[in-house]
Amino acid sequence: MTLNEFFANNPRVAVALSGGADSSYLLYAAKAAGCDTRAYFLKSQFQPRFEHDDAKRAAQFAGAPLVIRELDVLGVGAVAANPPDRCYHCKLAMFTKLREIARADGFDLLCDGTNADDEEGDRPGMRALRELGVVSPLRECGLTKADVRRLSQDAGLFTYRKPSYACLATRIPAGTEITAELLGKIERAEGAMSAMGFSDFRVRLVPPRGAKIQLPEPQFFLALELRGDILAALGGDFDSVALDLAPR
């Protein structure tokens, strides 16, 4: 089945928009196929500001209306406690909320941007999507991340080169309680490093107050050159800052 065939069979769809490459292309494709579609973005403490901005930009490019709502995900005890299956509990809470909002607007089918490369065994959140009846058209139609990037570039979507981005909670090791304070520190650290020119990297918490930077190997020398700037930017929030010598 092709994506156009999917939309021909499902002409009215709600799209859970994250601002990433996959969901942005899914929204564009739904609109280009003539679907009655609406995008839904759920703001939580786990998302940095740029994801919100990118979601708005993607919806505007697609010409689709965007509904933005908020969810206090740290108010979900099973999420804040950060067990190994935190992602399942988080996705369950977020997509339950999204499904309720979309259904109130008259959309019975909620879609997300999971692609054919995403393996369910590695993603506990996909179990929550299955339980809630959320449909993943890219995956059902066999479209991989490479396919999405190529098609996005052809369509002129700015997200075609956007690196894959996992939420801020993934920077905190399982078993360490997630707090707004910790998330704020990580977001500030990654924002500062982005401003220095780093890309496709992570700043991970090393409990109780350390930070570990993970970079693609070509950026190692830049980290050495900017060592003083990095320490100055991160030193207020972390007692120690280390560079992981295993490249991302």
Side-chain angles (χ1 to χ4, degrees):
M1 178 172 57
T2 68
L3 202 54
N4 280 336
E5 289 171 341
F6 174 88
F7 289 129
N9 294 330
N10 300 279
R12 183 171 169 80
V13 298
V15 174
L17 182 64
S18 69
D22 296 324
S23 63
S24 295
Y25 177 72
L26 180 65
L27 178 66
Y28 168 84
K31 191 67 177 176
C35 281
D36 178 8
T37 187
R38 192 173 300 178
Y40 291 84
F41 180 85
L42 200 58
K43 293 173 61 177
S44 77
Q45 299 96 325
F46 288 178
Q47 297 147 304
R49 175 71 194 189
F50 74 82
E51 291 283 64
H52 178 218
D53 294 339
D54 285 354
K56 291 196 292 186
R57 185 178 171 190
Q60 184 177 24
F61 182 88
L66 174 62
V67 176
I68 300 172
R69 295 289 186 269
E70 294 189 4
L71 174 68
D72 177 17
V73 73
L74 292 180
V76 182
V79 175
N82 200 17
D85 63 345
R86 178 208 69 250
C87 188
Y88 165 77
H89 299 288
C90 183
K91 289 284 190 184
L92 190 65
M94 294 188 72
F95 276 85
T96 296
K97 176 88 169 176
L98 286 170
R99 188 178 63 171
E100 290 173 356
I101 298 168
R103 284 183 172 175
D105 289 341
F107 290 90
D108 293 327
L109 183 63
L110 176 62
C111 299
D112 87 310
T114 301
N115 66 58
D117 287 332
D118 296 325
E119 295 293 337
E120 186 165 359
D122 298 331
R123 295 172 180 264
M126 290 176 65
R127 176 162 60 97
L129 300 182
R130 186 180 68 252
E131 291 175 1
L132 293 171
V134 177
V135 177
S136 303
L138 299 177
R139 190 176 190 219
E140 289 191 8
C141 296
L143 292 174
T144 65
K145 175 68 80 172
D147 293 328
V148 169
R149 293 198 185 281
R150 174 179 52 80
L151 292 167
S152 296
Q153 184 176 16
D154 292 344
L157 275 162
F158 74 97
T159 49
Y160 83 94
R161 288 192 303 178
K162 184 175 179 178
S164 297
Y165 186 83
C167 79
L168 293 171
T170 62
R171 318 300 197 263
I172 301 173
T176 300
E177 182 183 3
I178 302 174
T179 65
E181 180 184 11
L182 287 178
L183 295 170
K185 290 179 179 182
I186 293 165
E187 183 172 3
R188 284 192 295 272
E190 294 195 347
M193 292 196 61
S194 291
M196 295 179 203
F198 294 98
S199 61
D200 196 19
F201 67 94
R202 301 286 185 266
V203 177
R204 299 194 184 277
L205 174 72
V206 179
R209 286 180 51 85
K212 179 174 66 175
I213 300 169
Q214 296 177 322
L215 296 171
E217 190 168 3
Q219 298 179 35
F220 278 14
F221 286 108
L222 179 61
L224 294 177
E225 291 175 9
L226 299 180
R227 172 180 172 275
D229 294 335
I230 294 172
L231 291 174
L234 276 62
D237 285 325
F238 300 100
D239 291 341
S240 63
V241 179
L243 174 63
D244 191 339
L245 294 181
R248 271 181 57 80

